[in-house]
Amino acid sequence: MGPSRALLLFAALSSLVAALDASAGDADPIYRSCVEKCESSGCVGDKCFQHCKFSSDGKPIDGPWYLQEPLYLRWKHWDCQSDCRYQCMLVREEERQELGHEPVKYHGKWPFKRVYGFQEPVSVAFSALNLAVHFHGWLSFFILMYYKLPVRPDKRTYYEYTSLWHVYGLLSMNSWFWSSVFHSRDVDFTEKLDYSSAVALLGFSLILAVLRAFNVRDEAARVMVAAPLIAFVTTHILYLNFYKLDYGLNMKVCVAMGIGQLLLWAVWAGVTRHPSRWKLWVVVVGGAAAMLLEIYDFPPYLGYVDAHALWHATTIPLTYLWWSFIRDDADFMTTTLLKKKK
């Protein structure tokens, strides 16, 4: 997770915690009555849900086995309650729009319209594009290190942060993959995987920021820096998954790690004479500007594009520039080291 995503992650977590505290939509008595009637009758107006004949664990209440909901719906974890809430939300929002009211959140989320079963299709698409950009950045870095720049006689690279950036690339792709899954369907399982992968990436990014900013090359020193942070991040992830998914605590942890690495990169960019330091500044400043999308939260346009989706869009060019800086750093340090050897 580069500086931009670190900054924006804890902004997103802040807005999520605020949203979870209260949602006007699911407190609406008309909406609640609609959901209750739908769960008992299986219908909202003329639209009925066949799988409301089954309990949430997929076991039939009545009827033969072949009436069970389709496999793709079970994979998406849409059940009777989910569909009732979704349809009642759409109906209620149409009524509110006719009365001239603004959209409200339901169960902590804006009223998004599904596309082929995807809960937030635009965020899914942008998360997938971020995954693709990270893959391109990591692959181009791999090609640069092993096919374009000179290597040592034992085939190891002269750039002493190569393996760390490889791990970073894999963690980044993993994080954006689960972001795509989470935005396609928000359930407990996908939520925990999304948060866990993001925290793991954020923690490793902090380790990388410390090692690179202070130019730590000694293996023993690297272990001394990384070990306590890895232990802390691992403990935090285990706490979220197996004890309590504490949004407030998670936000504080992410804020602390995010601010830490942002300050490190910003200070380092200000004092270093690195030829590509301007790229680092653009990523940090651009990420700070994009954070306004999370602060100025607004309902999804036409039911699809909200501020969070646009945030995902802004991270795409910033990620491309971030990997460009990483490649430049590898080239610069390799060239400098070879000049010193001559």
Side-chain angles (χ1 to χ4, degrees), residues 156-226:
R156 291 188 301 113
T157 63
Y158 285 99
Y159 185 54
E160 296 176 319
Y161 300 90
T162 302
S163 59
L164 294 175
W165 286 119
H166 283 324
V167 175
Y168 167 82
L170 295 175
L171 287 175
S172 297
M173 289 184 281
N174 175 71
S175 179
W176 282 110
F177 171 78
W178 287 114
S179 174
S180 301
V181 174
F182 173 65
H183 286 299
S184 68
R185 182 65 175 105
D186 177 4
V187 294
D188 183 66
F189 174 72
T190 58
E191 182 180 44
K192 287 182 177 179
L193 282 171
D194 179 48
Y195 281 21
S196 298
S197 58
V199 170
L201 176 56
L202 190 56
F204 188 80
S205 298
L206 177 59
I207 294 172
L208 249 177
V210 173
L211 297 181
R212 182 63 190 93
F214 291 99
N215 199 23
V216 180
R217 299 183 182 183
D218 182 69
E219 289 297 328
R222 287 185 174 187
V223 171
M224 291 178 65
V225 171

Side-chain angles (χ1 to χ4, degrees), residues 265-285:
W265 286 121
V267 171
W268 185 72
V271 300
T272 186
R273 294 184 179 180
H274 199 290
S276 296
R277 61 186 178 277
W278 68 269
K279 294 182 180 180
L280 188 55
W281 274 118
V282 170
V283 173
V284 173
V285 175

